[in-house]
Amino acid sequence: MADQDPALSTSHPFYDVARHGILQVAGDDRFGRRVVTFSCCRMPPSHELDHQRLLEYLKYTLDQYVENDYTIIYFHYGLNSRNKPSLGWLQSAYKEFDRKDGDLTLWPRLVSNSRLKRSSQLSLRKYWDYRYKKNLKALYVVHPTSFIKVLWNIFKPLISHKFGKKVTYFNYLSELHEHLKYDQLIIPPEVLRYDEKLQSLHEGRTPPPTKTPPPRPPLPTQQFGVSLQYLKDKNQGELIPPVLRFTVTYLREKGLHTEGLFRRSASVQTVREIQRLYNQGKPVNFDNYGDIHIPAVILKTFLRELPQPLLTFQAYEQILGITCVESSLRVTRCRQILRSLPEHNYIVLRYLMGFLHAVSQESIFNKMNSSNLACVFGLNLIWPSQGASSLSALVPLNLFTELLIEYYEKIFSAPEAPGEHSLAPQQQGSRAAPLQEAVPRTRATGLTKPTIPLSPLMAARRRL
């Protein structure tokens, strides 16, 4: 059995299956879509695994992500006669994801799905199909064998041509680099060793690897993939990174009522074009692109490409422990964790959370409450220093992010600063200090940075 995830609790509803590590969530691909991996080598012998439970666990896992675009990576190595499911099970699994009636317990969630709500005539079948198949944007099959080709021929009559175009075969792990962040993947050691073996077998037919040149220093105008300190030094001491400020300002003015804000992906060519313009110090006018979701994707991309997450590697383990804190004390615990952040990170985080709080206040229009926003931004704000966050870590990471958004005013209230160790209860309810006190005026443009609106929290706040 693979090494068990230390964050996995025995109270997990699918602990008997999840403990094997067959399914993992591995960050995002180049398009900002969530990546789910399936590793066959981690499947135990068939007599030790209830395949029906595996199917239910697969649905349970996908239910957390399929309302947004997502990608699946299937590591085929390790599937053998001892752990291979029967063809009958595979056929029933396909029918399960394509069944006509759907799960009636999911019907209330239709109301919160902005894209589905537009058509009151959508049936449960369309909803089911939409979630599991339409939002699957890519299926990468790594190390395919003749068995895969036989399976494909068997199921080809049942699979639509449109779905078939989403499937891509990769003979080597190195081919994944172009499509996603390879270092975020959780690849089993057995798969790595097998890939090395394949590479060595084909050594004579492939050119020798070229020597990797040393990394070039970033451009003076570089905006993506550089540290907050670098951005501050290159932008006359400005604390809020320009990309973050420009996207937030644009979305605050034109996007607060957009349904499904931050849930949509964008063309990778468009994203790269905008990144290139920003990195070259050239202006970007989002009006020219005609899609309010593009600046939203750029904002997420900027956070995701920081060398260190905004919440820092050091805070990762503390944040994982938020679910162990009593509900009534979680807001206080959030404040304590944030006090350990560098001051610059704290100011940038406060600016971002103020904006996301404003987005959540308009959820009656955009359908993005604090919980939905947390699912989108959780892994863009914090990730481990090695590898990617495990599936079981997503619950505390998203919960922590949700608390920051929903209880923004309490958590970021003045006058407390990062690094202080005393928590004054009488100050918890005070209003956050205006951001313009911490953020100087833009010298290059003469524009004043937008301040964070300090609107009161929703009256009917759920109890944590």
Side-chain angles (χ1 to χ4, degrees):
M1 187 179 71
D3 292 338
Q4 184 172 315
D5 181 0
L8 181 65
S9 170
T10 54
S11 61
H12 190 286
F14 291 93
Y15 177 78
D16 56 321
V17 180
R19 66 194 182 95
H20 296 292
I22 301 169
L23 289 177
Q24 297 287 349
V25 174
D28 301 315
D29 64 12
R30 298 291 184 189
F31 298 86
R33 304 179 298 222
R34 192 56 46 85
V35 174
V36 179
T37 64
F38 187 103
S39 302
C40 290
C41 67
R42 291 186 171 177
M43 292 178 63
S46 297
H47 68 276
E48 296 179 12
L49 177 67
D50 184 338
H51 287 142
Q52 182 59 35
R53 288 278 293 169
L54 174 61
L55 175 59
E56 293 172 0
Y57 176 52
L58 177 60
K59 290 163 54 182
Y60 170 85
T61 302
L62 292 180
D63 278 344
Q64 303 175 56
Y65 306 105
V66 296
E67 290 187 1
N68 302 316
D69 296 342
Y70 70 105
T71 294
I72 291 180
I73 301 177
Y74 170 76
F75 294 115
H76 181 64
Y77 174 75
L79 191 68
N80 53 54
S81 59
R82 298 178 67 240
N83 64 3
K84 185 187 301 181
S86 66
L87 290 179
W89 180 87
L90 291 174
Q91 187 173 11
S92 65
Y94 181 83
K95 290 180 179 179
E96 184 72 16
F97 285 104
D98 194 39
R99 61 183 182 178
K100 296 181 179 180
D101 57 341
D103 186 344
L104 293 176
T105 63
L106 294 171
W107 179 251
R109 295 175 62 180
L110 276 170
V111 178
S112 64
N113 190 306
S114 59
R115 282 183 280 181
L116 295 179
K117 188 178 178 183
R118 295 172 186 170
S119 174
S120 59
Q121 298 178 353
L122 282 174
S123 64
L124 277 175
R125 172 181 170 80
K126 289 184 179 178
Y127 178 52
W128 192 270
D129 218 31
Y130 181 91
R131 298 170 72 246
Y132 288 110
K133 289 166 60 177
K134 186 170 183 178
N135 284 359
L136 173 63
K137 298 304 178 183
L139 171 59
Y140 300 141
V141 180
V142 182
H143 301 141
T145 63
S146 56
F147 174 75
I148 288 290
K149 298 175 183 178
V150 170
L151 270 185
W152 184 257
N153 289 329
I154 292 175
F155 287 101
K156 197 170 184 178
L158 304 175
I159 298 174
S160 68
H161 175 70
K162 187 174 181 180
F163 181 82
K165 292 168 63 176
K166 300 178 182 180
V167 180
T168 306
Y169 294 105
F170 294 128
N171 293 319
Y172 305 103
L173 291 172
S174 57
E175 298 175 54
L176 290 170
H177 283 276
E178 180 183 348
H179 301 273
L180 43 81
K181 295 189 174 181
Y182 185 83
D183 58 345
Q184 289 187 359
L185 289 181
I186 304 174
I187 304 177
E190 301 93 324
V191 175
L192 291 172
R193 288 192 294 268
Y194 178 71
D195 189 75
E196 291 175 2
K197 179 181 178 181
L198 289 180
Q199 291 281 10
S200 63
L201 288 175
H202 293 82
E203 222 170 38
R205 284 182 263 164
T206 57
T210 56
K211 185 176 181 181
T212 305
R216 292 182 296 176
L219 296 169
T221 53
Q222 189 91 15
Q223 301 297 319
F224 290 85
V226 292
S227 67
L228 294 178
Q229 184 62 47
Y230 184 89
L231 292 171
K232 175 185 175 183
D233 294 342
K234 298 298 180 181
N235 289 279
Q236 297 85 38
E238 191 170 329
L239 294 175
I240 304 302
V243 172
L244 178 61
R245 176 165 52 83
F246 293 149
T247 52
V248 165
T249 301
Y250 189 88
L251 292 170
R252 187 185 290 278
E253 293 176 356
K254 302 185 178 184
L256 290 184
H257 288 185
T258 300
E259 288 191 10
L261 188 64
F262 295 112
R263 277 185 169 172
R264 297 282 297 277
S265 57
S267 163
V268 67
Q269 291 84 0
T270 301
V271 172
R272 288 175 178 172
E273 175 191 343
I274 295 174
Q275 286 184 289
R276 178 180 56 80
L277 291 173
Y278 272 129
N279 287 337
Q280 294 176 352
K282 297 179 180 179
V284 173
N285 185 352
F286 289 116
D287 287 336
N288 294 338
Y289 297 93
D291 186 354
I292 193 64
H293 295 286
I294 288 178
V297 171
I298 293 296
L299 190 157
K300 292 188 295 182
T301 302
F302 171 79
L303 295 171
R304 195 163 53 243
E305 293 191 1
L306 287 171
Q308 181 174 192
L310 186 56
L311 284 168
T312 73
F313 292 131
Q314 291 74 17
Y316 185 78
E317 293 299 330
Q318 297 181 67
I319 293 173
L320 288 185
I322 192 67
T323 52
C324 300
V325 178
E326 186 179 336
S327 298
S328 60
L329 301 177
R330 286 175 179 169
V331 170
T332 299
R333 179 56 183 156
C334 288
R335 289 169 59 93
Q336 292 171 345
I337 293 174
L338 296 190
R339 285 203 302 275
S340 67
L341 294 180
E343 184 177 5
H344 193 177
N345 292 61
Y346 181 87
I347 291 172
V348 174
L349 180 68
R350 184 177 67 181
Y351 178 81
L352 176 63
M353 290 300 110
F355 166 62
L356 295 182
H357 177 71
V359 173
S360 70
Q361 295 288 287
E362 304 295 335
S363 62
I364 190 173
F365 302 105
N366 57 43
K367 313 305 177 190
M368 296 300 289
N369 56 28
S370 56
S371 177
N372 292 336
L373 288 169
C375 290
V376 173
F377 277 89
L379 288 180
N380 291 320
L381 296 174
I382 183 69
W383 57 85
S385 58
Q386 299 293 328
S389 298
S390 65
L391 187 61
S392 54
L394 295 181
V395 172
L397 297 184
N398 289 350
L399 173 60
F400 185 83
T401 306
E402 181 179 352
L403 290 168
L404 297 186
I405 297 171
E406 184 168 349
Y407 292 89
Y408 159 73
E409 290 186 340
K410 280 190 175 183
I411 292 174
F412 292 93
S413 60
E416 213 168 334
E420 295 183 0
H421 299 283
S422 60
L423 182 64
Q426 69 272 18
Q427 296 172 353
Q428 291 186 14
S430 61
R431 300 175 69 84
L435 187 63
Q436 61 266 32
E437 295 178 7
V439 184
R441 188 179 180 85
T442 306
R443 300 181 187 178
T445 63
L447 297 176
T448 302
K449 287 147 204 69
T451 58
I452 299 174
L454 300 175
S455 56
L457 294 173
M458 292 178 288
R461 174 183 299 155
R462 64 173 176 76
R463 182 179 179 182
L464 291 178

